[in-house]
Amino acid sequence: MKRIKLDAIDSTNDYLKSLCFSQTLENFTIVTAQYQLNGKGQMGAKWDSESSKNLITSILIKNTLQSSNEIFDLNVVVTLAVVSALKKYKIPNLSIKWPNDIMADNKKIGGILIENTFKSNSEIISIVGIGLNVNQTNFDNLPNASSLKIEMNSDFDIEKLLANIIEDIKINVSVLKSGLVENLWLQYNKKLFMKGVNTSFATATGEIFSGIIQGVSPFGQLIVLLNNQTVKYFRIKEIQMLY
Ligand code: BTN
């Protein structure tokens, strides 16, 4: 397994992606950085992280997804791996906020950005970016953010944490490859933040509505029971949960 340790970089995802195009890399090549100048979050957001305090990593996963229909399976594999690795540290009330935020109680402690490239030979190459708030305690202007240190009142070894996460990702990737991804989906749907609870959402055009989360569809849509008793499927860009 190849490991690249960087001090500072624009974005570990971008770095690994361009490396991938200039040379053949081993599956599970891992890039970590102490600091990102232009860390990327979901939907064009920024991912800020204090230097040396958090886990900032990108992992190359290839030869795993067979078709574009399976894209969300990798979200399930990775979010569950992060949650199961964190469970070993007894972090309380872990859940997954759709599509792939890692929550402790009602605070976000980590996020995942998976970027897939479809090659002409139908191979899918995935860059799995994980940002986990570990030993940072100050989150100015981010009232919904937390970290492992805030939750547990102690410092964490970031390298050990990474090793645990990689181990669990590998286990889940082999579950996916052996055709048993349904088991992971069951766990993912069980761990969904605000499932079964009346929740408010905003549409991309700013409309507010409420409904009860039922689960996530195999294509990654959020399934919501609306107040008029109809069930609607929402894609990632269509709605944002307000909580
Ligand atoms: C999100 O919750 O919006 C996703 C955040 C993903 C952040 C990680 S940090 C390592 C990797 N490199 C990036 O530029 N982003 C991801």
Side-chain angles (χ1 to χ4, degrees), residues 32-43:
T32 52
Q34 302 292 337
Y35 184 69
Q36 291 183 124
L37 298 148
N38 192 20
K40 302 190 301 179
Q42 293 258 356
M43 311 250 298

Side-chain angles (χ1 to χ4, degrees), residues 1-220:
M1 199 168 65
K2 190 178 165 74
R3 169 76 192 274
I4 302 165
K5 290 185 187 185
L6 304 168
D7 285 333
I9 192 77
D10 282 1
S11 151
T12 53
N13 265 30
D14 288 348
Y15 177 87
L16 183 54
K17 209 187 300 168
S18 47
L19 203 62
C20 221
F21 287 112
S22 61
Q23 57 183 269
T24 305
L25 294 174
E26 270 177 55
N27 205 5
F28 293 104
T29 293
I30 299 166
V31 177
T32 52
Q34 302 292 337
Y35 184 69
Q36 291 183 124
L37 298 148
N38 192 20
K40 302 190 301 179
Q42 293 258 356
M43 311 250 298
K46 273 194 77 172
W47 184 260
D48 287 325
S49 179
E50 262 179 42
S51 182
S52 313
K53 297 222 170 140
N54 301 313
L55 177 62
I56 295 172
T57 187
S58 297
I59 304 147
L60 171 68
I61 298 188
K62 54 185 183 175
N63 312 324
T64 299
L65 298 176
Q66 309 281 344
S67 85
S68 57
N69 289 346
E70 296 175 356
I71 290 293
F72 205 81
D73 288 350
L74 195 57
N75 281 268
V76 170
V77 158
V78 176
T79 44
L80 278 180
V82 174
V83 167
S84 69
L86 293 180
K87 261 193 208 153
K88 293 170 197 152
Y89 294 86
K90 309 238 177 321
I91 316 292
N93 302 323
L94 291 165
S95 66
I96 300 164
K97 180 168 165 275
W98 174 78
N100 43 22
D101 287 351
I102 310 297
M103 309 291 288
D105 284 312
N106 61 348
K107 302 271 180 176
K108 177 165 171 171
I109 54 169
I112 293 159
L113 177 67
I114 302 182
E115 298 182 271
N116 297 298
T117 305
F118 299 81
K119 295 190 77 177
S120 49
N121 60 1
S122 82
E123 193 190 349
I124 301 174
I125 292 185
S126 307
I127 306 289
V128 173
I130 303 174
L132 193 63
N133 299 332
V134 183
N135 294 322
Q136 182 173 334
T137 51
N138 184 16
F139 293 93
D140 283 342
N141 307 321
L142 289 172
N144 292 331
S146 186
S147 67
L148 301 185
K149 182 165 180 176
I150 294 174
E151 295 302 313
M152 302 300 283
N153 226 349
S154 62
D155 280 290
F156 285 76
D157 181 330
I158 299 173
E159 277 299 311
K160 273 199 192 133
L161 200 56
L162 173 64
N164 280 320
I165 291 173
I166 298 294
E167 191 183 315
D168 285 347
I169 290 178
K170 285 186 171 173
I171 293 172
N172 286 356
V173 164
S174 52
V175 172
L176 172 65
K177 283 185 164 178
S178 65
L180 296 171
V181 73
E182 285 311 313
N183 293 347
L184 299 178
W185 269 96
L186 283 174
Q187 291 176 51
Y188 177 90
N189 273 312
K190 252 197 219 162
K191 281 259 152 256
L192 262 192
F193 180 66
M194 298 294 244
K195 189 178 170 190
V197 179
N198 200 51
T199 310
S200 295
F201 301 91
T203 65
T205 54
E207 225 176 284
I208 310 283
F209 67 95
S210 65
I212 300 173
I213 295 176
Q214 308 293 297
V216 174
S217 80
F219 298 115

